[in-house]
Amino acid sequence: MPPWNPISGHLAFCYKITSSLPKDAHPNYLPDMIRRELPDLGPIYYLDTWPFGPQMLIVASTRGLHQITQEHSLRKYPALKDFLRPIAEGLDLVTMEGDLWKTWRGVFNPGFSANYIASLTQGIIEKTEEFCGTLEDLSRSHQLFHMKLLTDNLTMDIIGRIVIYVTRRLDARFAELQSEGHNHSDANKSIIDLVLTAYLSEKASKEVQDMDAQFKKFTMNQIKLFLFSGHDTTSSTVCYIFYVLATNPAILARVCAEHTLVIGSDAFEAASIIASDPSLLNRIPYTVAVIKEVLRMYPAVSGLRAGEPNFSVTDDANRRFPTDDFLVWDDPQAIHRDPAYWPRPSEFLPERWLVAAGDPLHPIKGVFRTVREIASGKNSR
Protein backbone atom coordinates (compact mmCIF):
# COMPACT_ATOMS: atom_id res chain seq x y z
CA MET A 1 0.00 0.00 0.00
CA PRO A 2 1.11 3.67 -0.24
CA PRO A 3 3.41 5.11 2.46
CA TRP A 4 1.51 4.89 5.75
CA ASN A 5 1.81 6.97 8.91
CA PRO A 6 0.66 5.53 12.28
CA ILE A 7 -1.02 8.84 13.15
CA SER A 8 -2.34 10.20 9.85
CA GLY A 9 -2.68 6.93 7.97
CA HIS A 10 -2.70 7.83 4.25
CA LEU A 11 -4.21 11.28 4.71
CA ALA A 12 -0.89 13.14 4.49
CA PHE A 13 0.11 11.16 1.41
CA CYS A 14 -3.23 11.81 -0.30
CA TYR A 15 -3.03 15.50 0.50
CA LYS A 16 0.46 15.72 -0.95
CA ILE A 17 -0.41 14.19 -4.31
CA THR A 18 -3.73 16.02 -4.69
CA SER A 19 -2.53 19.46 -3.56
CA SER A 20 -2.01 20.50 -7.18
CA LEU A 21 -5.67 19.92 -8.00
CA PRO A 22 -8.49 22.45 -7.49
CA LYS A 23 -10.00 22.23 -4.01
CA ASP A 24 -13.30 20.95 -5.41
CA ALA A 25 -11.74 18.25 -7.62
CA HIS A 26 -13.69 15.01 -7.63
CA PRO A 27 -12.29 12.12 -5.53
CA ASN A 28 -12.35 9.90 -8.63
CA TYR A 29 -9.01 11.45 -9.60
CA LEU A 30 -7.27 10.04 -6.52
CA PRO A 31 -6.57 6.40 -7.54
CA ASP A 32 -5.09 7.44 -10.88
CA MET A 33 -2.88 10.04 -9.19
CA ILE A 34 -1.66 7.37 -6.76
CA ARG A 35 -0.83 5.14 -9.73
CA ARG A 36 1.19 7.93 -11.32
CA GLU A 37 3.00 8.69 -8.05
CA LEU A 38 3.72 5.03 -7.26
CA PRO A 39 3.84 3.15 -10.60
CA ASP A 40 5.18 -0.02 -8.95
CA LEU A 41 2.44 -0.16 -6.32
CA GLY A 42 0.06 -2.29 -8.36
CA PRO A 43 -3.59 -1.66 -9.19
CA ILE A 44 -5.03 -3.18 -5.97
CA TYR A 45 -4.15 -1.72 -2.59
CA TYR A 46 -5.52 -0.49 0.73
CA LEU A 47 -6.13 3.16 1.58
CA ASP A 48 -6.52 4.38 5.16
CA THR A 49 -8.46 7.65 5.36
CA TRP A 50 -9.66 7.32 8.97
CA PRO A 51 -11.21 9.32 10.67
CA PHE A 52 -12.50 11.27 7.64
CA GLY A 53 -13.51 8.27 5.57
CA PRO A 54 -13.85 4.48 5.64
CA GLN A 55 -11.01 2.03 5.22
CA MET A 56 -10.84 1.31 1.51
CA LEU A 57 -9.63 -1.34 -0.88
CA ILE A 58 -8.92 0.24 -4.26
CA VAL A 59 -9.52 -2.07 -7.22
CA ALA A 60 -8.15 -0.60 -10.45
CA SER A 61 -7.53 -3.68 -12.57
CA THR A 62 -9.75 -5.62 -14.95
CA ARG A 63 -8.94 -8.87 -13.19
CA GLY A 64 -9.95 -7.45 -9.82
CA LEU A 65 -13.05 -5.84 -11.29
CA HIS A 66 -14.13 -9.17 -12.77
CA GLN A 67 -13.77 -10.80 -9.36
CA ILE A 68 -16.00 -8.31 -7.53
CA THR A 69 -18.67 -8.00 -10.22
CA GLN A 70 -18.77 -11.33 -12.08
CA GLU A 71 -17.17 -14.12 -10.09
CA HIS A 72 -18.62 -12.89 -6.81
CA SER A 73 -20.66 -9.72 -7.10
CA LEU A 74 -20.16 -7.72 -3.92
CA ARG A 75 -23.18 -5.84 -2.65
CA LYS A 76 -23.59 -2.08 -2.95
CA TYR A 77 -21.94 -0.06 -0.21
CA PRO A 78 -24.45 0.73 2.61
CA ALA A 79 -23.61 4.46 2.67
CA LEU A 80 -24.72 4.71 -0.97
CA LYS A 81 -28.07 3.23 -0.02
CA ASP A 82 -28.37 5.58 2.95
CA PHE A 83 -27.61 8.57 0.74
CA LEU A 84 -30.28 7.69 -1.82
CA ARG A 85 -32.92 6.37 0.61
CA PRO A 86 -34.63 9.77 1.18
CA ILE A 87 -35.12 10.02 -2.58
CA ALA A 88 -36.11 6.50 -3.56
CA GLU A 89 -36.61 4.58 -0.29
CA GLY A 90 -34.14 1.93 -1.42
CA LEU A 91 -36.39 0.95 -4.34
CA ASP A 92 -34.14 1.98 -7.22
CA LEU A 93 -31.86 0.42 -9.81
CA VAL A 94 -28.74 1.98 -8.29
CA THR A 95 -29.05 0.26 -4.91
CA MET A 96 -31.25 -2.79 -5.60
CA GLU A 97 -29.68 -6.22 -5.38
CA GLY A 98 -30.21 -9.71 -6.74
CA ASP A 99 -33.43 -10.89 -8.36
CA LEU A 100 -35.23 -7.66 -7.49
CA TRP A 101 -32.63 -5.67 -9.46
CA LYS A 102 -32.83 -8.10 -12.40
CA THR A 103 -36.62 -7.84 -12.51
CA TRP A 104 -36.70 -4.05 -12.57
CA ARG A 105 -33.73 -3.77 -14.91
CA GLY A 106 -35.70 -5.95 -17.31
CA VAL A 107 -38.77 -3.73 -16.95
CA PHE A 108 -36.80 -0.62 -17.91
CA ASN A 109 -34.62 -2.26 -20.58
CA PRO A 110 -36.81 -1.02 -23.47
CA GLY A 111 -36.13 2.55 -22.39
CA PHE A 112 -32.39 2.05 -22.99
CA SER A 113 -32.67 0.52 -26.46
CA ALA A 114 -31.18 2.32 -29.45
CA ASN A 115 -34.46 2.20 -31.35
CA TYR A 116 -36.36 3.76 -28.49
CA ILE A 117 -33.80 6.53 -28.02
CA ALA A 118 -33.98 7.25 -31.75
CA SER A 119 -37.76 7.65 -31.45
CA LEU A 120 -37.17 10.53 -29.01
CA THR A 121 -34.96 12.48 -31.42
CA GLN A 122 -37.50 15.23 -32.10
CA GLY A 123 -37.93 16.12 -28.42
CA ILE A 124 -34.19 16.00 -27.78
CA ILE A 125 -33.56 18.28 -30.77
CA GLU A 126 -36.07 20.85 -29.54
CA LYS A 127 -34.37 21.13 -26.15
CA THR A 128 -30.92 21.14 -27.75
CA GLU A 129 -31.93 24.02 -30.02
CA GLU A 130 -32.98 26.01 -26.96
CA PHE A 131 -29.60 25.20 -25.38
CA CYS A 132 -27.72 26.33 -28.51
CA GLY A 133 -29.72 29.55 -28.60
CA THR A 134 -28.72 30.28 -25.01
CA LEU A 135 -25.07 29.63 -25.84
CA GLU A 136 -25.24 32.00 -28.81
CA ASP A 137 -26.77 34.77 -26.68
CA LEU A 138 -24.13 34.34 -24.00
CA SER A 139 -21.27 34.27 -26.50
CA ARG A 140 -22.43 37.56 -27.98
CA SER A 141 -22.47 39.11 -24.51
CA HIS A 142 -18.70 38.42 -24.11
CA GLN A 143 -19.27 37.54 -20.46
CA LEU A 144 -18.03 34.51 -18.55
CA PHE A 145 -20.68 31.95 -17.63
CA HIS A 146 -20.86 28.53 -15.97
CA MET A 147 -21.28 25.88 -18.63
CA LYS A 148 -22.25 23.25 -16.03
CA LEU A 149 -25.36 25.21 -15.04
CA LEU A 150 -26.47 25.27 -18.67
CA THR A 151 -25.80 21.58 -19.28
CA ASP A 152 -27.59 20.73 -16.02
CA ASN A 153 -30.67 22.54 -17.31
CA LEU A 154 -30.36 20.87 -20.70
CA THR A 155 -30.17 17.34 -19.33
CA MET A 156 -32.92 17.94 -16.77
CA ASP A 157 -35.17 19.24 -19.54
CA ILE A 158 -34.50 16.23 -21.76
CA ILE A 159 -34.68 13.58 -19.03
CA GLY A 160 -37.74 15.26 -17.54
CA ARG A 161 -39.48 15.27 -20.89
CA ILE A 162 -38.81 11.58 -21.29
CA VAL A 163 -39.53 10.15 -17.82
CA ILE A 164 -41.37 12.57 -15.56
CA TYR A 165 -44.94 11.90 -14.55
CA VAL A 166 -46.37 13.12 -11.24
CA THR A 167 -48.42 10.55 -9.36
CA ARG A 168 -51.82 11.76 -10.56
CA ARG A 169 -50.61 11.73 -14.18
CA LEU A 170 -49.30 8.19 -13.76
CA ASP A 171 -52.79 7.02 -12.78
CA ALA A 172 -54.36 8.90 -15.68
CA ARG A 173 -51.88 7.48 -18.20
CA PHE A 174 -52.48 3.98 -16.83
CA ALA A 175 -56.19 4.38 -17.53
CA GLU A 176 -55.50 5.76 -21.02
CA LEU A 177 -53.27 2.83 -21.95
CA GLN A 178 -55.88 0.40 -20.67
CA SER A 179 -58.44 1.86 -23.01
CA GLU A 180 -56.02 2.12 -25.96
CA GLY A 181 -54.78 -1.44 -25.82
CA HIS A 182 -51.13 -2.54 -26.20
CA ASN A 183 -50.61 -2.72 -29.95
CA HIS A 184 -49.08 0.72 -30.51
CA SER A 185 -45.53 1.44 -31.65
CA ASP A 186 -42.95 2.44 -29.05
CA ALA A 187 -42.22 5.61 -31.03
CA ASN A 188 -42.73 8.79 -29.04
CA LYS A 189 -43.71 6.91 -25.90
CA SER A 190 -42.15 7.95 -22.62
CA ILE A 191 -40.20 5.37 -20.61
CA ILE A 192 -43.16 5.29 -18.24
CA ASP A 193 -45.47 4.41 -21.14
CA LEU A 194 -43.18 1.50 -21.95
CA VAL A 195 -43.19 0.33 -18.33
CA LEU A 196 -46.96 0.60 -18.01
CA THR A 197 -47.48 -1.20 -21.32
CA ALA A 198 -45.21 -4.03 -20.16
CA TYR A 199 -47.15 -4.19 -16.88
CA LEU A 200 -50.51 -4.37 -18.66
CA SER A 201 -49.21 -7.01 -21.05
CA GLU A 202 -48.06 -9.13 -18.12
CA LYS A 203 -51.49 -8.77 -16.51
CA ALA A 204 -53.36 -9.34 -19.78
CA SER A 205 -54.75 -12.67 -18.62
CA LYS A 206 -56.27 -11.01 -15.54
CA GLU A 207 -58.85 -8.31 -15.18
CA VAL A 208 -56.79 -5.35 -13.93
CA GLN A 209 -58.81 -2.32 -12.90
CA ASP A 210 -56.28 -0.41 -10.79
CA MET A 211 -52.53 -0.21 -10.74
CA ASP A 212 -50.86 -2.35 -8.08
CA ALA A 213 -49.75 -0.06 -5.23
CA GLN A 214 -46.32 -1.69 -4.96
CA PHE A 215 -45.73 -1.44 -8.71
CA LYS A 216 -46.72 2.24 -8.59
CA LYS A 217 -44.33 2.90 -5.71
CA PHE A 218 -41.44 1.20 -7.49
CA THR A 219 -42.14 3.07 -10.71
CA MET A 220 -42.23 6.48 -9.04
CA ASN A 221 -38.94 5.81 -7.27
CA GLN A 222 -37.26 4.90 -10.55
CA ILE A 223 -38.47 8.19 -12.04
CA LYS A 224 -36.97 10.15 -9.16
CA LEU A 225 -33.65 8.32 -9.54
CA PHE A 226 -33.56 8.93 -13.31
CA LEU A 227 -33.90 12.64 -12.62
CA PHE A 228 -31.53 12.79 -9.65
CA SER A 229 -28.67 10.54 -10.72
CA GLY A 230 -29.10 10.62 -14.48
CA HIS A 231 -28.82 14.33 -15.11
CA ASP A 232 -25.43 15.02 -13.50
CA THR A 233 -23.45 12.29 -15.26
CA THR A 234 -24.78 13.38 -18.65
CA SER A 235 -24.34 17.06 -17.86
CA SER A 236 -20.71 16.54 -16.80
CA THR A 237 -19.97 14.53 -19.94
CA VAL A 238 -21.40 17.27 -22.17
CA CYS A 239 -19.14 19.80 -20.41
CA TYR A 240 -16.09 17.65 -21.07
CA ILE A 241 -17.06 17.29 -24.73
CA PHE A 242 -17.11 21.08 -25.07
CA TYR A 243 -13.77 21.29 -23.25
CA VAL A 244 -12.12 18.70 -25.51
CA LEU A 245 -13.39 20.34 -28.71
CA ALA A 246 -12.35 23.80 -27.51
CA THR A 247 -8.81 22.67 -26.68
CA ASN A 248 -8.28 20.41 -29.71
CA PRO A 249 -9.00 22.45 -32.86
CA ALA A 250 -7.96 19.64 -35.20
CA ILE A 251 -10.48 17.29 -33.62
CA LEU A 252 -13.16 20.00 -33.75
CA ALA A 253 -12.44 20.55 -37.45
CA ARG A 254 -12.79 16.84 -38.19
CA VAL A 255 -16.09 16.65 -36.27
CA CYS A 256 -17.42 19.64 -38.24
CA ALA A 257 -16.29 18.12 -41.53
CA GLU A 258 -18.08 14.87 -40.72
CA HIS A 259 -21.29 16.74 -39.86
CA THR A 260 -21.08 18.74 -43.07
CA LEU A 261 -20.64 15.55 -45.10
CA VAL A 262 -23.55 13.69 -43.47
CA ILE A 263 -25.98 16.44 -42.42
CA GLY A 264 -25.07 19.33 -44.71
CA SER A 265 -23.31 22.66 -44.46
CA ASP A 266 -26.30 24.74 -43.33
CA ALA A 267 -26.26 24.69 -39.52
CA PHE A 268 -29.73 26.27 -39.39
CA GLU A 269 -31.18 23.30 -41.27
CA ALA A 270 -29.38 20.62 -39.26
CA ALA A 271 -32.13 20.16 -36.67
CA SER A 272 -34.91 19.60 -39.22
CA ILE A 273 -32.70 17.28 -41.31
CA ILE A 274 -31.87 15.08 -38.30
CA ALA A 275 -35.50 15.11 -37.11
CA SER A 276 -36.66 13.89 -40.51
CA ASP A 277 -34.05 11.11 -40.59
CA PRO A 278 -32.60 10.18 -37.16
CA SER A 279 -30.66 7.34 -38.77
CA LEU A 280 -28.16 9.98 -39.94
CA LEU A 281 -26.79 9.89 -36.39
CA ASN A 282 -25.60 6.36 -37.13
CA ARG A 283 -23.36 7.72 -39.90
CA ILE A 284 -21.06 9.95 -37.82
CA PRO A 285 -18.53 7.42 -36.44
CA TYR A 286 -15.84 9.99 -35.67
CA THR A 287 -18.26 12.00 -33.52
CA VAL A 288 -19.22 8.83 -31.64
CA ALA A 289 -15.51 8.06 -31.19
CA VAL A 290 -15.00 11.52 -29.65
CA ILE A 291 -17.80 10.84 -27.17
CA LYS A 292 -16.37 7.45 -26.26
CA GLU A 293 -12.93 8.95 -25.74
CA VAL A 294 -14.45 11.59 -23.45
CA LEU A 295 -16.11 8.80 -21.45
CA ARG A 296 -12.77 6.98 -21.27
CA MET A 297 -10.76 9.94 -20.02
CA TYR A 298 -13.46 11.59 -17.91
CA PRO A 299 -15.82 8.92 -16.55
CA ALA A 300 -18.45 10.57 -14.38
CA VAL A 301 -19.03 7.77 -11.86
CA SER A 302 -17.31 4.97 -10.01
CA GLY A 303 -18.48 1.85 -8.18
CA LEU A 304 -18.74 1.46 -4.40
CA ARG A 305 -19.21 -2.00 -2.94
CA ALA A 306 -19.10 -3.56 0.51
CA GLY A 307 -16.46 -6.12 1.40
CA GLU A 308 -17.47 -9.47 2.86
CA PRO A 309 -15.99 -11.99 5.33
CA ASN A 310 -13.98 -14.77 3.71
CA PHE A 311 -13.79 -13.00 0.36
CA SER A 312 -10.51 -11.71 -1.03
CA VAL A 313 -9.47 -10.05 -4.27
CA THR A 314 -6.38 -11.49 -5.97
CA ASP A 315 -3.99 -9.44 -8.09
CA ASP A 316 -1.81 -10.54 -11.00
CA ALA A 317 0.96 -11.54 -8.57
CA ASN A 318 -1.54 -13.80 -6.74
CA ARG A 319 -1.48 -11.60 -3.65
CA ARG A 320 -4.74 -11.85 -1.71
CA PHE A 321 -6.52 -8.75 -0.37
CA PRO A 322 -9.25 -9.55 2.20
CA THR A 323 -12.30 -7.32 1.76
CA ASP A 324 -14.15 -7.73 5.07
CA ASP A 325 -15.07 -4.35 6.65
CA PHE A 326 -13.64 -2.42 3.69
CA LEU A 327 -15.27 -0.15 1.17
CA VAL A 328 -14.27 -1.73 -2.15
CA TRP A 329 -13.85 1.09 -4.66
CA ASP A 330 -13.59 0.32 -8.35
CA ASP A 331 -12.59 3.49 -10.14
CA PRO A 332 -12.87 3.40 -13.95
CA GLN A 333 -10.74 6.50 -14.37
CA ALA A 334 -7.68 4.72 -12.97
CA ILE A 335 -8.31 1.77 -15.31
CA HIS A 336 -9.10 3.99 -18.30
CA ARG A 337 -5.78 5.81 -17.95
CA ASP A 338 -3.55 2.87 -17.09
CA PRO A 339 -0.79 2.28 -19.69
CA ALA A 340 -1.09 -1.43 -18.96
CA TYR A 341 -4.38 -1.36 -20.87
CA TRP A 342 -4.24 1.70 -23.10
CA PRO A 343 -1.46 2.85 -25.45
CA ARG A 344 -0.79 6.57 -24.94
CA PRO A 345 -3.46 6.70 -22.20
CA SER A 346 -3.10 10.41 -21.41
CA GLU A 347 -3.65 11.45 -25.03
CA PHE A 348 -7.11 12.19 -26.38
CA LEU A 349 -7.25 9.87 -29.38
CA PRO A 350 -10.70 9.23 -30.89
CA GLU A 351 -8.91 7.10 -33.50
CA ARG A 352 -8.52 4.29 -30.97
CA TRP A 353 -12.26 3.62 -31.35
CA LEU A 354 -12.07 3.45 -35.15
CA VAL A 355 -9.08 1.18 -35.81
CA ALA A 356 -9.50 -2.51 -36.58
CA ALA A 357 -8.87 -5.29 -34.09
CA GLY A 358 -5.17 -6.06 -34.02
CA ASP A 359 -4.13 -2.44 -34.26
CA PRO A 360 -2.03 -1.40 -31.22
CA LEU A 361 -4.55 1.36 -30.44
CA HIS A 362 -7.59 -0.94 -30.47
CA PRO A 363 -9.16 -1.13 -26.97
CA ILE A 364 -8.78 -4.38 -25.06
CA LYS A 365 -12.10 -6.15 -24.61
CA GLY A 366 -13.64 -5.61 -21.18
CA VAL A 367 -11.49 -2.64 -20.15
CA PHE A 368 -13.90 0.16 -21.09
CA ARG A 369 -16.89 0.65 -18.78
CA THR A 370 -19.66 3.08 -19.63
CA VAL A 371 -21.46 5.32 -17.17
CA ARG A 372 -24.66 3.37 -17.66
CA GLU A 373 -23.01 0.05 -16.75
CA ILE A 374 -21.59 1.42 -13.51
CA ALA A 375 -24.47 3.63 -12.41
CA SER A 376 -27.22 1.08 -13.09
CA GLY A 377 -25.30 -1.67 -11.30
CA LYS A 378 -25.20 -3.78 -14.45
CA ASN A 379 -23.15 -6.52 -12.85
CA SER A 380 -25.29 -6.88 -9.73
CA ARG A 381 -26.21 -10.38 -8.75
Side-chain angles (χ1 to χ4, degrees):
M1 62 181 179
W4 183 80
N5 183 285
I7 298 176
S8 62
H10 290 127
L11 291 174
F13 170 77
C14 290
Y15 175 78
K16 174 188 172 184
I17 65 171
T18 59
S19 58
S20 61
L21 296 177
K23 294 186 182 298
D24 58 350
H26 199 283
N28 281 356
Y29 283 100
L30 180 59
D32 185 55
M33 296 194 72
I34 292 176
R35 177 192 62 78
R36 294 167 185 264
E37 181 75 11
L38 302 171
D40 297 326
L41 177 65
I44 302 174
Y45 52 88
Y46 293 108
L47 203 62
D48 177 10
T49 60
W50 186 89
F52 298 105
Q55 308 284 60
M56 291 184 278
L57 176 65
I58 309 299
V59 178
S61 76
T62 55
R63 177 179 177 178
L65 183 61
H66 188 269
Q67 292 172 57
I68 65 175
T69 61
Q70 302 289 334
E71 295 177 12
H72 181 85
S73 181
L74 293 176
R75 295 191 176 275
K76 312 293 175 57
Y77 192 64
L80 177 62
K81 297 183 178 182
D82 294 340
F83 177 72
L84 293 176
R85 187 169 286 112
I87 301 169
E89 304 175 67
L91 305 176
D92 60 86
L93 287 171
V94 175
T95 61
M96 284 178 180
E97 307 277 5
D99 292 339
L100 185 63
W101 177 86
K102 291 178 181 178
T103 298
W104 278 92
R105 187 64 175 83
V107 167
F108 280 90
N109 263 341
F112 294 108
S113 72
N115 287 338
Y116 173 66
I117 297 299
S119 74
L120 304 172
T121 301
Q122 180 62 52
I124 294 173
I125 286 175
E126 290 174 7
K127 293 301 179 182
T128 303
E129 282 191 297
E130 295 175 11
F131 172 74
C132 292
T134 301
L135 286 182
E136 289 173 0
D137 292 341
L138 289 169
S139 65
R140 282 193 291 265
S141 72
H142 301 290
Q143 294 181 353
L144 291 176
F145 58 90
H146 291 282
M147 177 67 79
K148 185 63 164 59
L149 296 178
L150 300 182
T151 57
D152 280 345
N153 291 337
L154 170 65
T155 53
M156 283 295 285
D157 284 346
I158 291 175
I159 294 172
R161 181 182 181 121
I162 295 171
V163 304
I164 192 167
Y165 272 79
V166 294
T167 303
R168 64 180 181 274
R169 181 56 187 155
L170 189 64
D171 290 328
R173 189 58 185 149
F174 178 76
E176 290 170 5
L177 289 172
Q178 274 187 309
S179 63
E180 293 172 2
H182 325 312
N183 298 319
H184 297 288
S185 166
D186 287 346
N188 299 318
K189 284 185 176 181
S190 73
I191 289 179
I192 301 307
D193 280 357
L194 297 178
V195 172
L196 292 176
T197 300
Y199 175 76
L200 287 169
S201 297
E202 182 183 343
K203 303 292 184 181
S205 60
K206 305 174 183 178
E207 292 187 4
V208 179
Q209 299 298 325
D210 299 308
M211 192 188 314
D212 178 80
Q214 188 70 0
F215 176 85
K216 181 177 180 179
K217 185 176 183 179
F218 271 67
T219 301
M220 291 304 300
N221 282 316
Q222 303 314 317
I223 295 170
K224 288 187 283 186
L225 244 293
F226 279 134
L227 290 170
F228 178 78
S229 63
H231 87 277
D232 187 63
T233 52
T234 305
S235 172
S236 297
T237 300
V238 173
C239 283
Y240 278 119
I241 291 172
F242 272 95
Y243 166 75
V244 164
L245 294 178
T247 54
N248 293 273
I251 292 175
L252 173 60
R254 186 168 173 182
V255 167
C256 292
E258 182 176 68
H259 292 183
T260 298
L261 178 65
V262 176
I263 302 169
S265 58
D266 189 343
F268 294 101
E269 294 296 323
S272 60
I273 292 172
I274 295 172
S276 64
D277 185 6
S279 67
L280 291 173
L281 299 178
N282 297 324
R283 294 164 51 191
I284 48 173
Y286 187 77
T287 302
V288 173
V290 168
I291 296 171
K292 284 186 175 181
E293 188 70 345
V294 167
L295 291 171
R296 180 189 73 84
M297 293 196 71
Y298 308 104
V301 295
S302 60
L304 303 177
R305 297 175 180 266
E308 296 178 0
N310 305 315
F311 177 74
S312 299
V313 180
T314 305
D315 67 6
D316 291 337
N318 289 320
R319 295 178 298 179
R320 297 174 66 253
F321 296 82
T323 66
D324 190 22
D325 287 333
F326 285 91
L327 182 163
V328 181
W329 182 11
D330 76 87
D331 181 30
Q333 182 160 41
I335 296 175
H336 288 179
R337 297 196 180 209
D338 191 336
Y341 305 115
W342 304 89
R344 300 156 65 185
S346 297
E347 297 182 46
F348 191 88
L349 297 172
E351 292 77 14
R352 72 174 80 243
W353 302 100
L354 301 172
V355 296
D359 189 286
L361 273 182
H362 191 272
I364 300 172
K365 184 178 180 180
V367 176
F368 179 65
R369 298 184 73 203
T370 66
V371 170
R372 192 182 108 194
E373 289 172 339
I374 303 167
S376 68
K378 183 176 181 180
N379 297 311
S380 292
R381 60 185 176 193

